[in-house]
């Protein structure tokens, strides 16, 4: 997959109030033929036929020390579904019900995997990418390195 150019060695670290730490990002409308074929397959699997899609694809480059704090994405910017390709590194995504923070589900996002968050998973659960030192799955340490995610979204209805 042809990953778009990001500013080299410049990952953003913001105050603790920001959701994402240690990242750089870009959006891309055009891809090479092989990458476009992969994205077409992702869209076919993730989104209902005829669903209006957000034009640019979001690329998030998370540094080894970076992480994403628990949050629910704004419905102002995207619709009911997000689909992300996890590249370069395994990572742990944690989902926590918004109305019961004692429950949680940890998902192992293997390198080169596709995850899809839709409807209740998008709007009734927070999601986060754990820090390297917190990344365990079924009692086993999951080393986290630099992670790139390529994210497709549909438009809000």
């Amino acid at each position: 997959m042809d990953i778009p150019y990001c500013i080299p060695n410049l990952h953003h670290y913001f105050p603790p109030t920001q959701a994402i730490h240690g990242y750089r990002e870009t959006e891309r409308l055009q891809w090479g033929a092989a990458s476009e074929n992969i994205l077409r397959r992702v869209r076919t699997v993730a989104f209902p036929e005829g669903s209006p899609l957000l034009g640019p694809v979001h690329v998030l480059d998370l540094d080894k020390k970076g992480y994403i704090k628990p949050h629910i994405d704004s419905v102002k910017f995207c619709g009911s579904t997000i689909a992300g390709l996890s590249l370069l590194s395994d990572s742990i995504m944690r989902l926590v019900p918004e109305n019961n923070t004692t429950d949680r589900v940890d998902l192992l996002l293997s390198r080169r995997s596709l995850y899809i968050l839709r409807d209740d998973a998008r709007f009734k659960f927070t999601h986060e990418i754990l820090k390297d030192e917190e990344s365990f799955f079924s009692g086993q340490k999951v080393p986290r390195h630099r992670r790139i995610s390529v994210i497709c979204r549909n438009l809000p209805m």
Side-chain angles (χ1 to χ4, degrees), residues 1-133:
M1 177 160 252
D2 51 324
I3 301 299
Y5 175 78
C6 292
I7 298 171
N9 301 321
L10 183 60
H11 286 89
H12 302 287
Y13 287 88
F14 289 107
T17 56
Q18 299 290 326
I20 308 175
H21 297 268
Y23 74 100
R24 51 192 177 172
E25 64 185 338
T26 190
E27 292 183 333
R28 188 161 183 178
L29 282 168
Q30 296 183 339
W31 297 81
S35 296
E36 191 56 53
N37 187 42
I38 292 168
L39 290 170
R40 190 175 308 109
R41 289 172 49 205
V42 167
R43 291 176 181 127
T44 299
V45 168
F47 301 99
E49 190 172 333
S51 177
L53 301 178
L54 189 63
V57 174
H58 184 207
V59 180
L60 183 65
D61 180 349
L62 199 59
D63 185 58
K64 177 180 174 46
K65 293 182 180 179
Y67 60 97
I68 302 175
K69 291 173 61 174
H71 68 284
I72 295 176
D73 296 323
S74 172
V75 295
K76 186 169 32 171
F77 301 111
C78 56
S80 63
T81 305
I82 61 172
L85 290 170
S86 292
L87 305 174
L88 299 185
S89 177
D90 297 344
S91 60
I92 305 299
M93 177 181 278
R94 177 167 290 160
L95 301 176
V96 177
E98 187 178 31
N99 61 357
N100 182 1
T101 57
T102 58
D103 289 340
R104 70 180 192 204
V105 175
D106 286 347
L107 306 172
L108 174 61
L109 302 182
S110 300
R111 178 177 167 249
R112 299 182 183 162
S113 67
L114 170 66
Y115 68 89
I116 300 169
L117 295 178
R118 180 180 294 129
D119 300 327
D120 284 353
R122 284 259 303 116
F123 302 120
K124 295 186 178 180
F125 291 78
T126 63
H127 60 278
E128 64 184 294
I129 297 294
L130 300 183
K131 298 176 183 179
D132 178 52
E133 59 268 18

